[in-house]
Amino acid sequence: MKQIDTEALARRLRRHALRMTHRARASHVGSCLSMADIMAVLYGGIMRIDSTRPDWTERDRLIVSKGHAAAIVYAALAEKGFLPLAELDTYSADGGRLAGHVTTMVPGVELSTGSLGHGLPVAAGMALAAQRSGASWRSFCVVSDGELDEGSNWEAIQFAQHFRLSNLTLIVDYNKIQSFGSVAEVSDLHPLAEKFRAFNWGVHELDGHDHAALVETLSGPPPREGRPTAIVAHTIKGKGISFMEGQLLWHYRNPDVAQLEAALAELEEVA
């Protein structure tokens, strides 16, 4: 599949997420911005998908386990044609299908998520199904770092290495901030990459905002043959907007009119 200009796509995703959270007075804009580049690369050509056939059996599967970052998921799906761009205006509105957490009511969404720790076990099960049926599609899962507090993830990590799920790729959006504090303060994950290696996974560690590194890693072979892959993607909460970057405040706050205008202006400056 042809890779498009993912840097430009990521800027559009950030604009959509800012407008959506402002309009809906919704939270989690910082979490959306930290994974915008990951989503742009995945939807920009890495994943084998077809918006005209959301249920195509040979499509790659993506589970976004951090379901609170729904705005950036819907924005990516709209940019790829799974739903009209105009529908983004209905985000988190009563009667609409774009709920505040990721939902399967939206074409292209594989699993409704929100209760953290559920996505990776499902993604691993999907990968096992593909392995046993001889299918060639891949199973991707994006989790937040704070989400790794949940023990269900580590059961799935053990499960995946046992069944040698080389068709499973886990991406950790490692922005170092969770709901009520820094990850280091709440439940330190360090050394995260070494933990995955101890579970016998292949591991990449990279800058989650470096598109070239993301493309090379996600399109290349697994670092360990016959093993699942973990990508520890170091990111910045609120990435791309100077007054949001690295700030716990923007986990729950939504931008007011002045903040939205300032944020959009910053994105215009780098376009």
Side-chain angles (χ1 to χ4, degrees), residues 159-179:
F159 172 94
Q161 70 84 26
H162 175 77
F163 288 101
R164 295 175 173 266
L165 300 179
S166 58
N167 57 352
L168 173 64
T169 299
L170 169 64
I171 305 170
V172 181
D173 179 13
Y174 199 7
N175 64 38
K176 324 293 188 304
I177 295 176
Q178 56 189 97
S179 301

Side-chain angles (χ1 to χ4, degrees), residues 18 21-22 26-33 68 177-179 237-239 241-256 258-260 263:
L18 287 160
T21 52
H22 163 71
S27 53
H28 304 127
V29 66
S31 299
C32 289
L33 298 179
H68 53 286
I177 295 176
Q178 56 189 97
S179 301
K237 194 120 177 172
K239 174 65 177 178
I241 308 302
S242 60
F243 58 88
M244 294 184 179
E245 289 190 357
Q247 300 298 314
L248 172 62
L249 180 69
W250 292 99
H251 188 89
Y252 287 117
R253 176 172 286 189
N254 58 79
D256 61 22
Q259 291 162 339
L260 174 65

Side-chain angles (χ1 to χ4, degrees), residues 48-71:
R48 186 172 62 183
I49 52 176
D50 182 347
S51 62
T52 67
R53 297 181 293 168
D55 297 327
W56 178 37
T57 56
E58 296 304 312
R59 72 190 185 283
D60 290 335
R61 273 66 164 175
L62 170 63
I63 304 293
V64 178
S65 192
K66 45 176 293 188
H68 53 286

